[in-house]
Amino acid sequence: GGVQNGGKAEYNYTVDSARASLVRQEDTIIFGLIERARFPLNSPTYNQSYASIPQFRGTLLDFLVRDTEVIQAKAGRYTNLEENPFFPENLPPSVEPHYPFSQFLHPSAAMININNVIWKLYIDELLPIFVASGDDGNYAQTAATDLSLLQAISRRIHYGKFIAEAKFRESPKGYEPLIRAKDKEALMKLLTIESVEEMVVKRVKKKAMVLGQEVSLDRNVKGIKYKVDPSVVSFLYQKWLIPLTKNVEVEYLLSRLD
Ligand SMILES: *[C@@H]1O[C@H](CO)[C@@H](O)[C@H](O)[C@H]1NC(C)=O
Ligand SMILES: *[C@@H]1O[C@H](CO)[C@@H](O)[C@H](O)[C@H]1NC(C)=O
């Protein structure tokens, strides 16, 4: 989002508009978690020896994501730099007429893609803490919810590029010397605002309570139940989403002057 500029389709991201987008993306991520948590772990979805897809090596999730990205690339999804594919190798070009998306980011932004890190983290660390163990056979449905959630998480983390550019434009003099000195630590410090991070962590917990509450008209139902544990949502943000977003911000800034 941002401010539309004249007749050209140029969005002017600001730190405020970029933050507003992150707030909106929280809803998508929380709903994604709720949707995925409808199914148990369903481990065959992630097991290469289970999947027996002709002419394909990989898991059922690999298969679904790779082929979906091919279709979405043709439909033009990745012409918007807010989107980053998980399998960027050999993606076909868009067949759609080109929409003149904003050149807001420095061209080096296209080189930053940490989806391989996100993918591994998601399967190895994240899934086990918010889905029940077990197997109900709904592997294709499970993979479909994984895909939406992975895309939402990836978009959030890579949005760090837009945040970083907006911050840089607000105070280039503060950032330039640190970028030239390649001082990652000082850059991280400069772009970290702890009070904002604490607010995000609190807000997503509250949103998970509101959006994930089981609703019942039966007055005999006692106590409140949540579809996804709200403290898992705040933990996820605190431990992974916020730090990884900031890593993207630092990576982006380091090549900002190239
Ligand atoms: C973008 O927004 C900033 C801050 O509001 C403003 O100073 C700048 O002129 C805008 N740039 C364009 C291209 O509209
Ligand atoms: C993957 O599936 C194979 C065959 O079904 C099974 O033997 C193996 O234990 C599974 N691996 C994991 C990590 O679950």
Side-chain angles (χ1 to χ4, degrees):
V3 181
Q4 195 117 35
N5 208 343
K8 269 178 67 197
E10 179 182 315
Y11 279 101
N12 191 2
Y13 296 77
T14 62
V15 174
D16 284 345
S17 75
R19 283 214 183 102
S21 171
L22 291 187
V23 172
R24 174 62 187 79
Q25 290 178 44
E26 290 164 7
D27 304 2
T28 312
I29 291 173
I30 291 167
F31 279 120
L33 290 164
I34 291 171
E35 284 303 286
R36 176 59 186 85
R38 287 194 292 135
F39 302 105
L41 183 59
N42 282 339
S43 63
T45 313
Y46 318 101
N47 185 335
Q48 186 164 332
S49 21
Y50 175 81
S52 52
I53 303 158
Q55 285 141 28
F56 185 83
R57 264 177 61 90
T59 67
L60 182 61
L61 183 63
D62 295 332
F63 176 69
L64 183 80
V65 173
R66 215 173 283 211
D67 275 21
T68 303
E69 286 190 340
V70 167
I71 306 254
Q72 293 189 334
K74 283 187 195 163
R77 183 183 183 98
Y78 304 107
T79 58
N80 181 342
L81 287 181
E82 290 182 18
E83 305 288 350
N84 296 268
F86 283 88
F87 297 97
E89 312 80 24
N90 307 319
L91 276 184
S94 167
V95 296
E96 286 301 297
H98 185 67
Y99 183 88
F101 281 107
S102 159
Q103 296 301 305
F104 181 74
L105 296 180
H106 186 270
S108 63
M111 306 300 293
I112 300 169
N113 181 335
I114 62 163
N115 274 336
N116 53 350
V117 175
I118 295 171
W119 182 276
K120 195 164 164 23
L121 200 69
Y122 178 79
I123 292 173
D124 295 346
E125 315 243 357
L126 179 56
L127 275 178
I129 64 170
F130 82 97
V131 301
S133 54
D135 187 328
D136 69 1
N138 288 310
Y139 310 138
Q141 294 86 335
T142 298
T145 60
D146 285 323
L147 168 61
S148 321
L149 180 52
L150 278 164
Q151 286 181 329
I153 290 174
S154 167
R155 188 182 313 117
R156 200 281 178 197
I157 290 170
H158 289 101
Y159 210 78
K161 300 176 196 177
F162 294 87
I163 303 272
E165 177 64 24
K167 285 179 179 168
F168 178 86
R169 289 193 192 195
E170 276 190 4
S171 61
K173 293 212 164 56
Y175 284 100
E176 274 170 19
L178 304 181
I179 294 171
R180 288 191 207 290
K182 302 206 184 304
D183 192 338
K184 284 190 186 192
E185 218 167 294
L187 281 170
M188 186 61 91
K189 210 164 162 189
L190 186 58
L191 53 79
T192 298
I193 307 174
E194 270 168 25
S195 60
V196 171
E197 291 179 13
E198 281 164 22
M199 216 165 57
V200 171
V201 171
K202 272 194 198 151
R203 187 177 50 240
V204 293
K205 185 167 186 178
K206 185 164 181 188
K207 276 190 184 178
M209 288 175 165
V210 174
L211 302 175
Q213 199 172 121
E214 297 282 3
V215 176
S216 170
L217 293 177
D218 180 352
R219 285 197 211 132
N220 298 320
V221 173
K222 295 245 160 43
I224 301 174
K225 272 189 159 168
Y226 300 112
K227 295 175 184 130
V228 166
D229 181 353
S231 53
V232 166
V233 178
S234 53
F235 175 78
L236 161 73
Y237 264 80
Q238 193 165 32
K239 175 126 191 261
W240 290 311
L241 295 196
I242 294 174
L244 286 174
T245 305
K246 291 200 296 180
N247 286 352
V248 168
E249 288 181 56
V250 170
E251 282 308 305
Y252 175 81
L253 287 169
L254 285 173
S255 55
R256 175 63 180 73
L257 301 176
D258 292 356

